[in-house]
Amino acid sequence: MAELLKNFVSGEWVAGHGPGTVLHDPVTGAELARVSSDGLDLADAFSFARTMGGTALRALGYAKRAGMLGEIVKVLQGNRDAYYDIAIANSGTTRNDSAIDIDGAIFTVGQYAKWGAALGERNALLEGARAKLGKDGAFQSQHVLVPTRGVALFINAFNFPSWGLWEKAAPALLAGVPVIVKPATATAWLAQRMVADVTAAGIVPHGALSVICGSSRGLLDALKPFDVVSFTGSADTAATIREHRAVVAHSVRVNIEADSINSALLLPDAGADSEAFGLLVREAVREMTVKSGQKCTAIRRILVPQSLYDAAAQAIGAKLGGVTVGNPRNETVRMGALVSRTQYDAVREGVAALRAQADVLYDGSNRPLVDADPDIAACAAPVLFGTRDPDHAEIVHRVEVFGPVSTLMPYRDLDHALALIRRGEGSLVVSIYGADTRALAHAALELADSHGRVHVISPAIAQQQTGHGNVMPHSLHGGPGRAGGGEELGGLRALGFYHRRAAIQAETAVVDALAAAPFVL
Ligand code: NAP
């Protein structure tokens, strides 16, 4: 039987009861490991994290915690090769795709180490300017942010076992809040291994970092006031969490990153021979194929002026024709597997559903897989859909197929394009392609209310741009409405979620004394 991965709770490695759930290689079907959270004393685990972890972290202050993040970076760097091995086996990703998860995580922790160092040896932040409350100004109000004295529970999706952990843990640990992570079961191995390496290195205090692999049963019941939950996953699970008795009863702060139907928009003035057109085509293909389209930020809808619909279909289809799919261990393979056969079935179902309202413009599924058995491997080929009537093809604005699938659609004028994009009802990211900087800025502001991030691409920054789907720690990650309404990252803004805000009303000398210590956020 495959090894049963232990959980790290209450400062100890503990095996769950029973045979557990098996983790598979999505390409070969081989059994890799097992996980079980059955029988864990969750109340004790949470209490240990709050008391031991929280107290120790708060005693450090921001700058020392930033130093701790720097040490975490070194540990993760030192074990990178092992992480790549786990990713290829458990996530079925190519080296380039694994890098987004692994090196993306290390980069993000490194950024927070840098930003955190500037906060100094203190444990509270000022927010905004002070306000005079009385007529003579002697009585004043100042908002402060202090670390919450609870635990940060992370419930993560399967697609980014590494980045999903660290993009949340870096700001939480910097804020002085202990972390309990429950990775998605299918790919829990990588997160569990990273926690094991970091705890073995002895650089985080006891109780500051715990990992629970396997079922989520009982986790939410353990929540208390001042705890926070950060969730990434489907809208259905998000709804369950929001409605959970403990979350409601204790007013537990919850951040949700859910699914979304992100768009790419080519502005009306672009021609088929323009650089903007080429940039949109390249990015659409990249977004469909990176991590086999299993990215919450992936482009699901591609909007082009009516006159360019055929040219765009041809150009995207031609590039997709060059994408080899199969076993990521073969160096000629450009796109690896989906995360599991269950996801493979879900993608097939999604493709079948889209077929009812959209045309297939490109379908790579008749090409043989490289080094992979189609009856076993969770390898799905890219499929480009198109609809000439996007107003009535409601499904393309509603259904997220979490795989290498996207839909091309024509628009009449900018207002029509903006209205179509808004039918996503709130998304993580939209990218806009064009050369007219005023038109780009106008479209960006028009779409800013319904997106957490607007990625504006003009020829001048074609080489330097960071990519539609790449989540940079400097920028906000999260989106309104359907995307979950969450906010992560965005530089030091991320600390807000892990702090409590309070207004201190006092005489000027007391407010002066506050200001002597903390940093102004
Ligand atoms: P999921 O089924 O909702 O699972 C997400 C996490 O929730 C997993 O850890 C899962 O554990 C756990 N979970 C399931 N039921 C739960 C419950 N009743 N209470 C508490 N936790 C529970 O989502 P998924 O299939 O892993 O992820 C795919 C979806 O996530 C896609 O729709 C994608 O768009 C979205 N996503 C969004 C973002 C973003 O940043 N916005 C990023 C990545 C993915 P088990 O694995 O043990 O079931």
Side-chain angles (χ1 to χ4, degrees):
M1 260 218 285
E3 181 197 353
L4 180 67
L5 303 178
K6 288 184 177 164
N7 307 286
F8 191 61
V9 287
S10 305
E12 285 174 10
W13 287 100
V14 185
H17 295 167
T21 306
V22 176
L23 273 49
H24 290 101
D25 180 323
V27 178
T28 66
E31 294 192 2
L32 301 171
R34 291 174 298 126
V35 292
S36 167
S37 60
D38 290 353
L40 297 183
D41 186 343
L42 294 177
D44 185 68
F46 277 62
S47 166
F48 184 88
R50 274 181 215 113
T51 49
M52 297 294 288
T55 307
L57 283 171
R58 286 194 302 278
L60 294 176
Y62 296 105
K64 287 207 178 68
R65 294 194 294 262
M68 185 180 81
L69 294 183
E71 294 302 310
I72 291 176
V73 166
K74 287 184 201 154
V75 172
L76 298 179
Q77 288 277 19
N79 291 285
R80 259 174 96 241
D81 289 348
Y83 303 152
Y84 273 87
D85 289 346
I86 293 174
I88 204 170
N90 194 193
S91 292
T93 39
T94 61
R95 200 169 168 83
N96 282 345
D97 287 355
S98 302
I100 302 172
D101 191 27
I102 296 165
D103 295 328
I106 297 173
F107 174 70
T108 301
V109 181
Q111 279 299 323
Y112 277 95
K114 232 184 265 175
W115 291 327
L119 296 179
E121 301 286 338
R122 44 184 70 114
N123 222 354
L125 303 170
L126 295 188
E127 190 192 51
R130 59 178 73 179
K132 292 173 185 166
L133 298 180
K135 271 200 189 126
D136 62 359
F139 190 53
Q140 302 192 343
S141 173
Q142 171 69 60
H143 287 92
V144 297
L145 297 168
V146 291
T148 190
R149 296 192 179 212
V151 87
L153 171 64
F154 301 157
I155 300 179
N156 281 343
F158 61 74
N159 54 345
F160 286 107
S162 161
W163 178 82
L165 159 60
W166 294 110
E167 61 103 9
K168 290 180 165 82
L173 293 172
L174 178 59
V177 179
V179 165
I180 297 180
V181 59
K182 188 230 130 12
T185 296
T187 55
W189 189 10
L190 182 53
Q192 193 264 7
R193 171 63 191 267
M194 287 176 148
V195 172
D197 290 339
V198 168
T199 53
I203 47 184
V204 291
H206 258 7
L209 185 59
S210 309
V211 61
I212 296 174
C213 302
S215 164
S216 57
R217 206 175 313 113
L219 280 180
L220 299 170
D221 297 318
L223 293 169
K224 297 261 195 251
F226 313 121
D227 290 343
V228 298
V229 177
S230 187
F231 169 79
T232 300
S234 65
D236 286 349
T237 311
T240 309
I241 291 173
R242 281 192 213 278
E243 291 162 8
H244 190 274
R245 186 192 46 74
V247 171
V248 175
H250 301 311
S251 308
V252 172
R253 191 183 282 166
V254 177
N255 191 78
I256 303 283
E257 301 289 348
D259 54 19
S260 91
I261 314 284
N262 312 292
S263 313
L265 167 65
L266 181 65
L267 286 187
D269 60 333
D273 53 357
S274 67
E275 201 174 342
F277 178 87
L279 289 168
L280 169 111
V281 167
R282 198 177 70 187
E283 198 67 355
V285 172
R286 230 165 67 93
E287 285 294 308
M288 285 177 74
T289 53
V290 166
K291 281 192 78 83
S292 303
Q294 299 170 111
K295 263 171 42 266
C296 52
T297 49
I299 296 170
R300 305 296 177 195
R301 297 177 294 163
I302 308 158
L303 290 93
V304 296
Q306 254 167 1
S307 59
L308 296 183
Y309 180 76
D310 291 325
Q314 209 173 28
I316 297 171
K319 278 196 186 296
L320 289 174
V323 175
T324 42
V325 185
N327 191 333
R329 293 169 183 89
N330 184 311
E331 284 186 1
T332 66
V333 166
R334 162 113 175 261
M335 192 170 90
L338 297 170
V339 78
S340 66
R341 202 65 192 186
T342 310
Q343 278 305 307
Y344 175 82
D345 291 341
V347 166
R348 280 175 60 110
E349 267 172 39
V351 165
L354 286 184
R355 270 178 197 275
Q357 291 187 16
D359 307 318
V360 175
L361 303 181
Y362 175 85
D363 183 355
S365 56
N366 46 13
R367 297 180 55 192
L369 300 179
V370 178
D371 280 355
D373 179 344
D375 292 331
I376 295 171
C379 293
V383 181
L384 177 69
F385 282 98
T387 171
R388 291 183 188 273
D389 185 12
D391 291 310
H392 295 103
E394 64 85 29
I395 196 170
V396 304
H397 307 290
R398 178 172 55 81
V399 172
E400 180 204 40
V401 181
F402 210 55
V405 181
S406 191
T407 304
L408 180 69
M409 53 193 81
Y411 66 83
R412 293 185 296 277
D413 52 32
L414 184 65
D415 283 347
H416 185 216
L418 298 177
L420 289 170
I421 291 172
R422 290 194 185 106
R423 285 184 63 179
E425 298 184 333
S427 300
L428 294 169
V429 52
V430 57
S431 52
I432 310 174
Y433 300 81
D436 177 340
T437 49
R438 288 176 76 90
L440 286 165
H442 169 72
L445 286 181
E446 282 292 315
L447 292 169
D449 68 304
S450 53
H451 296 80
R453 182 160 59 88
V454 182
H455 185 67
V456 182
I457 301 307
S458 46
I461 43 77
Q463 301 308 319
Q464 296 96 314
Q465 62 125 339
T466 49
H468 166 106
N470 275 353
V471 177
M472 301 300 287
H474 316 64
S475 303
L476 189 73
H477 176 57
R482 177 184 174 144
E487 290 195 350
E488 289 180 341
L489 300 172
L492 289 174
R493 276 175 199 83
L495 298 191
F497 183 69
Y498 302 100
H499 283 70
R500 305 300 315 181
R501 178 186 292 112
I504 309 276
Q505 299 178 323
E507 69 165 272
T508 307
V510 174
V511 176
D512 286 347
L514 296 176
F519 184 87
V520 180
L521 194 63

